[in-house]
Each structure stands twice: as structure tokens, then as C-alpha cells.
């Protein structure tokens, strides 16, 4: 399979051997195989993992597994935790759609920040076939009829040549471990329903249905490539992007050709078919339309498309140089002080005094999720944060918004509540890191 992989990369001109690739790894069999192939081929790559906070301790175990896997392969590791359910609820979309938007925007941020040339995902032949059917159900532009493209902008799919059987044989042959996502068996998710209920029916009619869809996809690819050239020419001629990333599109008269091109453009910003139809029919100045990722404002013969911020669903990063961090209507003040002979810890729950040597910057602050645990001050055993807050009789509304301070993924402090025993100041502590919440901080409820 390694030879087939290298040949496919070269044949499709996915990237050059000296380029650096960011490999998206969930911990599942496909992404594990993809990472191992990159390692065996001696390509330059790093691993990115997203914890979507959807499966409690199982999600945390996935994160630990991928981190260890990256260490085994001796490659850079990047990770983030999203409040996916909150984002899906806010944007009124499925959790799968929310996860897709969040992860790809973050992958692109890491790609640019860390100097990677491309982002690689572990999609293979069956994934592409399923995507074609999903797109038919949702409604799609022409791009949806070729399934998952092998290469699209900065995204590449180097496993597109591989069947499920080939991937499994590779795992067995190389004795690789992987994480099985329990949600993959649930048919409440659209892709799983198609995989477990619909695909087998088509395969009864045509035993080679997967390959048939792949052949159809290949035929459509040429048409779609031509259309993308037309779209890029249209964008170049009719749109501009300002320093803040806002895209302004001049609205041409609607002809069959311009309607198709504008539809494809709007699909790229995650507008659905209903919204697109409404946008194309509207000439009301000031009208605003929302997709999960972008806002579109109609303004005198032009559209202004702006990306929404996902900041509320990401962790806040704290560097060693930071002295004040804004947390909504609160401020977190940070300073380091020497531990003197007469030093005494501040007992206010809105102040955390931690042993600075136990912290690894950059630190992160995010909302507590199901499965998060810590060792409460005075205890040497772990306790679920949700159980701790319940025991403290913290009201549900406050509990849902409880934030935690993390050092390398480990909880150091539940803000406004209690620190972790592993980060406490001891007789051996030399430097104390002090974190103080100011303005409207919530007091602990006994």
C-alpha cells in the first residue's frame, strides 16, 4: 500500500516531497493509516487533533491516544477543544455540520500559523461515495456530484485511492492500534444512516456500486474543474477582499450562467439552498442573511460577506507575557511573584495561587465539558468537574458556563471555584503564579 500511496501522491500532484503537510487525525483507523503512510514515506508532516467535546471521557481518551501517537511518530502535535453542541445550537445546524465547519477553519488557522503547505484528511473511496449520496439528499451544486475532491485549494485527500479492505489489511500488517468512535454505529447521524442502511441496498443491486460512483465522480470532475475556472475568473473580476477579510461581491444581472456561479460561490460560504434562493431573489438594501460561518449583507448592488467569529467556542490562549485577559465582562489578571518566608496564599476563590513550575505555557481557558476531571485541592484522587460542581450545589445556569484553566490539557483551576492539588504551592515552591478574576466574578456556593 505504501507504493500505491506514493504513486498516487505523485500522479495527482498533491504536494512536493519538500513541502510540509498538516495531517488531520481523529484517532480512527483511516487517519491513523494516513499518518503511518506519511511517516513511512518520510514526508514532512505534523498532526492536528480536534476534541469536539461530544462524547465525554471517550473524547478525552481519543485526545490522549492521538497525542501519544504523534509522539511515537516524532512529529509536531496540535490540538484544540471546541464546544460543538453550543455552536450547533447557536447556528441551528447539526452537530456534524458544526464539527465540520469548526475543524476546517481551525485547520486553516494552524496551517497558516505554523507554515504548513497543505491539510491532509483520511477520506477514502467509500467516504467519497457516501458524500455523493449525502449531497443528493441535501441539495448540491455541481461540486457535490464528484464526492470528496482529491485536491481542493489547501485540502488534499491522499487516501482517495484506497478501499476499506486495503486500509484494514494495512492496519493488520503493521499492527497499528486505533480508536473506534462509538457514535459511528448510531444511525441518527446522516452519514451513518447512509453507510449502514442505504449503501448496502445499492450494493445488492450493484456489487461494485462504490467503484461505479467513483467512475461517475471522475467523469464529473472535468466539468467541475472547468466551472471552477469560470468561478475564479468571476471572483477575480467581481469581488475584492479588505484587510479585515470582508469580501465584497458586485452583483451582476442574473443570467443562467451568473446564477450558477453565484450559487457555487455562496455554497463555499456554507449557505444552504433555501438561503441561496432567498439571497438571489432579494434586492433589499440592508438585508442580512446568515450561514453557520458567514453573514451576507446586501448593500446597493453588492454583497458584503463577513466571517463570523468562533471565539466563543474556542479556548482562550494565555502566553507568558500576558498580564490581563478579557473574559466577557470579567478580567483575569496574571502575575508572578517570589515565594518568601512570610508568603501566604490568598483564600478568595476568585484568586488562584499556583506553583509556577507546574505550569507549561501557553495555558488555555475554556468552558468545562463532560468528562473533564481534576484533583481538588486537598485530594490526591481525580473527580469529575461536573460531580464537583453538583456537590457544591452550583446552579445549572452557572455550571454550564464554568470555565477552567488548563496547562498542557490538565486542569489547573476551576475559575472562581478551586485549584488542582497538583498545582498547589508547597514548601518547595520558588515562584507563585497568581491568577485573579475581577469585576463580577461568581463566588463559590457552599
Amino acid at each position: 500500500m505504501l507504493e500505491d500511496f506514493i504513486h498516487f501522491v505523485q500522479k495527482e500532484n498533491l504536494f512536493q516531497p519538500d513541502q510540509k503537510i498538516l495531517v488531520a487525525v481523529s484517532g480512527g483507523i483511516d487517519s491513523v493509516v494516513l499518518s503511518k503512510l506519511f511517516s513511512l514515506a518520510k514526508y514532512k508532516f505534523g498532526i492536528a487533533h480536534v476534541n469536539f467535546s461530544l462524547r465525554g471521557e471517550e473524547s478525552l481518551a481519543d485526545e490522549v491516544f492521538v497525542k501519544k501517537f504523534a509522539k511515537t511518530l516524532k512529529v509536531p502535535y496540535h490540538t484544540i477543544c471546541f464546544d460543538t453542541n453550543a455552536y450547533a445550537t447557536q447556528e441551528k445546524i447539526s452537530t456534524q455540520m458544526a464539527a465540520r465547519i469548526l475543524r476546517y477553519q481551525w485547520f486553516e488557522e494552524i496551517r497558516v500559523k505554523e507554515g504548513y503547505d497543505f491539510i491532509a484528511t483520511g477520506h477514502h473511496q467509500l467516504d467519497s461515495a457516501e458524500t455523493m449520496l449525502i449531497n443528493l439528499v441535501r441539495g448540491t451544486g455541481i461540486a457535490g456530484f464528484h464526492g470528496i475532491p482529491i485536491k481542493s485549494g489547501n485540502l488534499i485527500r491522499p487516501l482517495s485511492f484506497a478501499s476499506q479492505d486495503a486500509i484494514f489489511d494495512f492496519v493488520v500488517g503493521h499492527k497499528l492500534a486505533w480508536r473506534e468512535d462509538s457514535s459511528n454505529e448510531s444511525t441518527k447521524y446522516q452519514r451513518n444512516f447512509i453507510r449502514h442502511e442505504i449503501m448496502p441496498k445499492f450494493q445488492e443491486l450493484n456489487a461494485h456500486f462504490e467503484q461505479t460512483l467513483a467512475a461517475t465522480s471522475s467523469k464529473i470532475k472535468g466539468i467541475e474543474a472547468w466551472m471552477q475556472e469560470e468561478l475564479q475568473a468571476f471572483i477575480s473580476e467581481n469581488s475584492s477582499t479588505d484587510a479585515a477579510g470582508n469580501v465584497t461581491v458586485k452583483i451582476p444581472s442574473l443570467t443562467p450562467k451568473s446564477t450558477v456561479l453565484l450559487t457555487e460561490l455562496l455554497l463555499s460560504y456554507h449557505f444552504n439552498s433555501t438561503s441561496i434562493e432567498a439571497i438571489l431573489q432579494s434586492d433589499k438594501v440592508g438585508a442580512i442573511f446568515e450561514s453557520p460561518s458567514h453573514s451576507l449583507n446586501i448593500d446597493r448592488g453588492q454583497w458584503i460577506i463577513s466571517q463570523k467569529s468562533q471565539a466563543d467556542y474556542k479556548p482562550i490562549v494565555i502566553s507568558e507575557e500576558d498580564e490581563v485577559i478579557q473574559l466577557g465582562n470579567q478580567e483575569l489578571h496574571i502575575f508572578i511573584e517570589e515565594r518568601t518566608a512570610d508568603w501566604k496564599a490568598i483564600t478568595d476563590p476568585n484568586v488562584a495561587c499556583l506553583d509556577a513550575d507546574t505550569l507549561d505555557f501557553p495555558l488555555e481557558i475554556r468552558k468545562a465539558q463532560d468528562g473533564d476531571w481534576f484533583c481538588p485541592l486537598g485530594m490526591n484522587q481525580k473527580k469529575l468537574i461536573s460531580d464537583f460542581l453538583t456537590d457544591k450545589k452550583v446552579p445549572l445556569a452557572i455550571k454550564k458556563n464554568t470555565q477552567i484553566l488548563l496547562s498542557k490539557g490538565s486542569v489547573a483551576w476551576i475559575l472562581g471555584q478551586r485549584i488542582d492539588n497538583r498545582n498547589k504551592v508547597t514548601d518547595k515552591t520558588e515562584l507563585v503564579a497568581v491568577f485573579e478574576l475581577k469585576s463580577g466574578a461568581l463566588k463559590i456556593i457552599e
Side-chain angles (χ1 to χ4, degrees):
M1 189 174 180
L2 177 61
E3 290 182 3
D4 292 338
F5 171 71
I6 295 173
H7 175 71
F8 184 75
V9 168
Q10 294 172 343
K11 178 174 74 74
E12 297 294 335
N13 192 29
L14 295 185
F15 58 89
Q16 298 304 310
D18 62 341
Q19 290 183 305
K20 193 165 71 164
I21 313 301
L22 182 65
V23 180
V25 181
S26 66
I29 186 171
D30 306 329
S31 58
V32 164
V33 166
L34 180 60
S35 302
K36 184 66 175 179
L37 287 169
F38 263 90
S39 179
L40 293 174
K42 300 188 182 335
Y43 291 137
K44 299 176 183 178
F45 74 105
I47 282 176
H49 174 77
V50 180
N51 182 341
F52 293 108
S53 308
L54 294 172
R55 294 177 289 115
E57 289 199 30
E58 191 176 337
S59 291
L60 294 174
D62 290 347
E63 185 177 332
V64 170
F65 171 83
V66 177
K67 184 177 181 179
K68 289 181 179 177
F69 184 52
K71 187 175 182 180
T72 299
L73 297 180
K74 298 178 180 179
V75 297
Y77 172 69
H78 313 276
T79 187
I80 195 169
C81 180
F82 283 117
D83 190 347
T84 311
N85 279 328
Y87 179 60
T89 300
Q90 172 68 30
E91 298 301 331
K92 298 180 175 60
I93 55 177
S94 68
T95 53
Q96 287 186 312
M97 175 63 76
R100 182 181 185 279
I101 292 171
L102 290 170
R103 71 174 175 265
Y104 280 117
Q105 288 192 356
W106 179 68
F107 289 155
E108 179 61 14
E109 288 176 15
I110 295 299
R111 186 193 72 78
V112 173
K113 180 181 177 182
E114 301 295 335
Y116 290 97
D117 295 285
F118 294 99
I119 301 159
T121 67
H123 294 101
H124 52 78
Q125 273 187 5
L126 181 59
D127 290 319
S128 188
E130 292 168 351
T131 297
M132 290 178 72
L133 296 180
I134 289 172
N135 288 338
L136 285 172
V137 172
R138 290 176 180 164
T140 180
I142 192 170
F145 288 105
H146 63 50
I148 301 174
I150 295 170
K151 188 173 186 178
S152 176
N154 297 315
L155 279 172
I156 56 175
R157 277 86 182 197
L159 276 186
S160 295
F161 71 94
S163 66
Q164 268 193 316
D165 290 341
I167 288 171
F168 186 75
D169 289 343
F170 182 86
V171 164
V172 173
H174 287 80
K175 299 179 181 178
L176 296 174
W178 75 90
R179 293 279 300 171
E180 193 64 59
D181 185 342
S182 61
S183 68
N184 284 340
E185 298 304 314
S186 172
T187 55
K188 74 176 184 178
Y189 298 115
Q190 192 176 54
R191 182 175 291 274
N192 292 346
F193 180 78
I194 286 176
R195 176 175 298 174
H196 298 305
E197 302 290 338
I198 304 301
M199 285 293 288
K201 299 298 182 183
F202 278 112
Q203 287 163 342
E204 287 178 13
L205 297 172
N206 177 359
H208 304 289
F209 181 64
E210 186 178 328
Q211 290 75 19
T212 299
L213 283 182
T216 301
S217 170
S218 181
K219 293 172 184 175
I220 292 173
K221 250 173 42 175
I223 301 172
E224 201 267 337
W226 167 80
M227 196 201 68
Q228 283 298 317
E229 290 181 6
E230 292 285 318
L231 179 59
Q232 291 308 312
F234 172 83
I235 291 172
S236 178
E237 184 177 343
N238 294 280
S239 74
S240 61
T241 304
D242 65 20
N246 300 305
V247 178
T248 299
V249 182
K250 297 176 185 176
I251 308 173
S253 57
L254 293 183
T255 65
K257 179 179 178 179
S258 65
T259 298
V260 170
L261 292 174
L262 289 171
T263 297
E264 290 297 320
L265 176 64
L266 292 172
L267 283 168
S268 71
Y269 292 112
H270 302 109
F271 288 96
N272 60 32
S273 55
T274 302
S275 294
I276 291 172
E277 184 177 353
I279 292 169
L280 293 175
Q281 291 178 356
S282 177
D283 57 1
K284 182 181 178 182
V285 174
I288 296 177
F289 298 87
E290 305 275 353
S291 83
S293 59
H294 290 79
S295 296
L296 182 149
N297 177 215
I298 296 178
D299 180 42
R300 295 184 295 273
Q302 61 186 14
W303 295 336
I304 300 174
I305 303 174
S306 305
Q307 182 171 314
K308 295 179 179 178
S309 171
Q310 266 89 47
D312 290 344
Y313 314 103
K314 294 181 184 179
I316 295 169
V317 178
I318 302 175
S319 69
E320 287 188 271
E321 296 77 27
D322 289 327
E323 296 180 354
V324 180
I325 297 292
Q326 195 68 38
L327 300 176
N329 63 351
Q330 297 177 288
E331 288 182 346
L332 180 66
H333 291 248
I334 308 157
F335 58 94
I336 305 293
E337 63 183 20
E338 288 188 19
R339 180 182 170 276
T340 59
D342 60 348
W343 182 90
K344 290 184 179 180
I346 301 172
T347 57
D348 187 333
N350 292 316
V351 178
C353 298
L354 309 177
D355 186 329
D357 288 335
T358 67
L359 302 176
D360 288 309
F361 286 86
L363 307 177
E364 292 183 347
I365 291 177
R366 64 166 171 82
K367 287 184 180 180
Q369 305 292 339
D370 289 342
D372 284 333
W373 59 271
F374 80 134
C375 296
L377 180 64
M379 296 175 59
N380 287 314
Q381 60 188 41
K382 67 181 186 180
K383 187 179 185 75
L384 287 174
I385 290 177
S386 58
D387 290 345
F388 172 81
L389 296 175
T390 298
D391 291 346
K392 303 301 293 184
K393 297 183 175 62
V394 175
L396 182 60
I398 297 175
K399 186 176 178 181
K400 287 169 59 177
N401 292 300
T402 296
Q403 294 179 304
I404 53 178
L405 175 72
L406 299 106
S407 170
K408 294 297 183 184
S410 294
V411 177
W413 179 35
I414 304 177
L415 274 65
Q417 302 287 351
R418 188 174 296 182
I419 68 170
D420 190 291
N421 198 62
R422 296 166 295 177
N423 302 99
K424 68 183 179 182
V425 175
T426 69
D427 292 340
K428 296 180 180 180
T429 299
E430 296 179 356
L431 293 175
V432 180
V434 182
F435 300 82
E436 183 178 4
L437 276 173
K438 292 187 177 182
S439 179
L442 295 168
K443 300 290 186 180
I444 190 166
I445 298 175
E446 297 293 351

